[in-house]
């Protein structure tokens, strides 16, 4: 079947991340062939009989992994929260910063004022950092516009990033991120606007792949979250949730009852919530950079999630307020060092499980014949280096949809 391939990579050592194989799903050296953007052949070198098709490269037994998937980011935004960081380091309490107009709403003001082109230009260097690290699929949320026009503006920028750059973009409508100033006295009316205007418009324009809610005391209540999920269901949009980040409102159980793709943060997740996630196969997305940057102390219940067999994803949560850290590999390292994941779990968390968190587990996240040909060839001695070593460019080759993207 290699002869049907437009391009073949010889002598690659696959970390397949197949759930039916142990650990990384490592195999002996193989030839990997690509045909029409999909993995068409994965053949042990010892079984190989020539001749090879025109395009082939000898990778000298280097490691090949699935492309990395960053399944939870807010990487489109204008403005900066660096001054807040300075105030916080001087001991100014969060509440005072918020009273002075800081926090999410300061990013909202700057994002509303920014043109679509400016938002695009500001996002490019951030998404290019992820591309350099080996991210081949990234989820990007709205949530800093908080008007119909500005939320759709953000989602259009996200779609445009995926069209212009060598990366797959999945979009998530997070209009339920904060109550905008215009609705300060009537949050329920904002929820109604989301359900009756923004979700229908985003769905009809094909701009949103999923709908997310920040379910929290300082965000939206369980009842409001349910309303948003009901509206998303009406428009056949998948749902996700920022759940149990600072308290436990029972949001994870509600999300599981709606068949959510994932629930994210989860520091305050309890056993009832864990059972609900396990029962419905919902992905638990861990966001260690926000935990670290907020200097949180309550750890997510990783051992209980592991015991219950809940698939854990790991993501960067890139956002200007609680995770100004534009690195998925840093998030992998923190998931291990701060949350106690093993490097194997961290790798599954940014491949197979992250794909599931985006509803893409059939096409992405493993090295299997038939899957989309998104893969990375590494200059590293062992796959655990990818979670262990930070800041070194170890990519030899980054392939998206069967096309080499690093070296032209
Ligand atoms: O501070 C920001 O800009 C976003 C905070 C971020 N959003 C959310 O729902 N949880 C968070 O940590
Ligand atoms: Fe987030």
């Amino acid at each position: 079947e290699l002869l049907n391939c437009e391009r073949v990579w010889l002598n690659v050592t696959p970390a397949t991340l197949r759930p039916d194989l142990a650990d990384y799903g490592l195999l002996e050296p193989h030839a990997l062939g690509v045909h029409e953007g999909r993995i068409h052949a994965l053949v042990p070198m010892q079984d190989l009989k020539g001749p090879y098709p025109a395009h082939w490269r000898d990778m000298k037994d280097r490691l090949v992994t699935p492309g990395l998937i960053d399944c939870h980011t807010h990487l489109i935004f204008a403005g900066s929260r660096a001054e807040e960081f300075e105030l916080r380091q001087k001991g100014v309490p969060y509440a005072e910063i918020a009273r002075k107009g800081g926090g999410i709403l300061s990013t909202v003001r700057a994002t509303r004022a920014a043109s679509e082109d400016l938002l695009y230009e500001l996002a490019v260097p951030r998404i290019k950092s992820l591309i350099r690290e080996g991210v081949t699929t990234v989820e990007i949320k709205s949530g800093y516009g908080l008007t119909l026009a500005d939320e759709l503006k953000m989602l259009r920028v996200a779609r445009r990033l995926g069209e212009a750059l060598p990366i797959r973009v999945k979009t998530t409508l997070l209009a339920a991120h904060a109550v905008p100033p215009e609705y300060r006295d009537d949050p329920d009316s904002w929820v109604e606007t989301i359900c009756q205007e923004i979700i229908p418009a985003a769905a009809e324009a094909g701009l949103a792949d999923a709908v997310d809610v920040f379910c929290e005391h300082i965000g939206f209540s369980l009842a409001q979250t349910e309303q948003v999920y009901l509206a998303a269901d009406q428009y056949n949009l998948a749902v996700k949730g920022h759940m149990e980040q600072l308290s436990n409102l029972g949001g994870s159980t509600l999300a599981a009852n709606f068949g959510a793709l994932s629930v994210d943060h989860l520091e305050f997740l309890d056993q009832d919530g864990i059972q609900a996630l396990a029962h419905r196969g919902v992905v638990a997305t861990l966001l260690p950079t926000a935990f670290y940057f907020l200097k949180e102390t309550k750890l997510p219940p990783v051992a209980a999630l592991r015991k219950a067999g809940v698939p854990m994803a790991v993501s960067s949560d890139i956002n200007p307020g609680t995770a100004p850290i534009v690195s998925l590999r840093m998030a992998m390292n923190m998931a291990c060092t701060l949350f106690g994941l093993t490097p194997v779990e961290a790798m599954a968390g940014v491949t197979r499980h992250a794909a599931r968190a985006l509803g893409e587990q059939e096409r992405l996240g493993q090295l299997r014949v038939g899957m989309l040909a998104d893969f990375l060839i590494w200059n590293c001695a062992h796959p655990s280096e990818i979670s262990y070593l930070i800041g070194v460019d170890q990519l030899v080759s980054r392939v998206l949809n069967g096309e080499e993207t690093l070296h032209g």
Side-chain angles (χ1 to χ4, degrees):
E1 59 272 75
L2 279 178
L3 284 175
N4 299 336
C5 298
E6 290 85 61
R7 199 170 279 105
V8 173
W9 284 259
L10 297 178
N11 293 309
V12 293
T13 301
T16 61
L17 274 299
R18 283 174 40 182
D20 55 317
L21 300 176
D23 290 342
Y24 290 104
L26 278 169
L27 302 175
E28 77 277 18
H30 273 60
L32 195 166
V34 171
H35 176 56
E36 291 174 356
R38 295 213 178 229
I39 299 174
H40 186 74
L42 205 47
V43 181
M45 287 305 293
Q46 65 186 20
D47 300 349
L48 216 51
K49 301 175 189 62
Y52 310 131
H55 279 286
W56 60 272
R57 290 178 64 192
D58 182 348
M59 301 315 290
K60 300 183 175 39
D61 291 352
R62 284 198 185 91
L63 178 73
V64 60
T65 71
L68 305 188
I69 300 172
D70 195 352
C71 67
H72 178 134
T73 83
H74 310 250
L75 68 78
I76 295 172
F77 58 88
S80 166
R81 305 263 284 279
E83 310 82 73
E84 277 181 40
F85 180 53
E86 200 175 1
L87 286 172
R88 264 180 48 203
Q89 291 309 109
K90 286 177 183 162
V92 177
Y94 244 124
E96 190 177 327
I97 292 173
R99 251 198 316 280
K100 283 184 179 162
I104 292 183
L105 294 186
S106 81
T107 303
V108 169
R109 277 195 302 279
T111 303
R112 284 179 174 179
S115 69
E116 196 168 313
D117 288 348
L118 175 59
L119 286 178
Y120 176 86
E121 293 312 322
L122 291 170
V124 166
R126 301 164 196 155
I127 204 166
K128 280 188 172 175
S129 298
L130 295 178
I131 288 172
R132 276 288 341 148
E133 269 195 339
V135 174
T136 50
T137 297
V138 62
E139 183 256 18
I140 304 178
K141 303 174 190 290
S142 66
Y144 288 120
L146 305 189
T147 66
L148 171 63
D150 293 304
E151 286 294 298
L152 298 185
K153 171 176 76 175
M154 288 191 72
L155 292 171
R156 279 197 301 275
V157 172
R159 283 279 189 251
R160 193 170 137 199
L161 287 162
E163 285 148 15
L165 298 169
I167 189 164
R168 294 181 202 281
V169 169
K170 302 290 284 187
T171 60
T172 300
L173 172 69
L174 177 61
H177 191 201
V179 177
E182 304 79 14
Y183 289 80
R184 185 186 15 254
D185 304 331
D186 187 359
D188 283 329
S189 169
W190 172 238
V191 173
E192 250 175 68
T193 302
I194 294 172
C195 297
Q196 289 166 17
E197 291 179 39
I198 304 180
I199 288 176
E204 271 141 32
L207 287 172
D209 299 317
V211 175
D212 189 351
V213 179
F214 179 37
C215 182
E216 192 54 71
H217 288 306
I218 56 170
F220 294 84
S221 70
L222 210 55
Q224 291 169 330
T225 302
E226 183 170 19
Q227 281 184 41
V228 174
Y229 284 177
L230 286 168
D233 266 6
Q234 264 186 297
Y235 286 86
N236 296 317
L237 292 176
V239 296
K240 295 173 158 287
H242 284 67
M243 295 303 182
E244 277 68 83
Q245 178 181 7
L246 308 170
S247 67
N248 185 328
L249 299 186
S252 295
T253 301
L254 174 75
N257 294 342
F258 273 85
L261 293 174
S262 76
V263 287
D264 304 28
H265 281 292
L266 305 179
E267 281 81 343
F268 285 79
L269 180 65
D270 60 11
Q271 198 52 37
D272 286 351
I274 291 171
Q275 294 310 331
L277 300 180
H279 182 61
R280 295 295 299 266
V282 179
V283 173
T285 303
L286 304 174
L287 304 171
T289 48
F291 171 92
Y292 157 82
F293 197 71
L294 290 173
K295 293 183 267 189
E296 282 181 42
T297 52
K298 179 102 169 98
L299 288 164
V302 164
L305 284 164
R306 186 182 288 135
K307 188 159 180 278
V310 175
M312 292 185 278
V314 174
S315 182
S316 66
D317 193 19
I318 296 164
N319 78 75
T322 63
I325 298 176
V326 186
S327 168
L328 184 58
R329 286 183 67 177
M330 189 72 230
M332 293 171 78
N333 182 286
M334 289 181 172
C336 297
T337 50
L338 298 178
F339 288 177
L341 264 62
T342 64
V344 173
E345 288 174 324
M347 193 65 192
V350 300
T351 53
R352 169 171 95 235
H353 296 157
R356 180 173 294 280
L358 299 176
E360 290 284 6
Q361 62 275 18
E362 301 307 319
R363 306 194 304 166
L364 292 171
Q366 296 174 52
L367 295 180
R368 268 181 195 275
V369 170
M371 285 203 156
L372 290 171
D374 294 3
F375 56 87
L376 308 168
I377 295 173
W378 297 87
N379 243 341
C380 62
H382 189 281
S384 295
E385 262 185 56
I386 296 167
S387 298
Y388 154 77
L389 184 64
I390 301 304
V392 180
D393 177 4
Q394 295 176 283
L395 274 190
V396 170
S397 187
R398 175 183 180 278
V399 177
L400 183 90
N401 215 41
E403 297 293 330
E404 171 64 66
T405 65
L406 283 189
H407 313 300

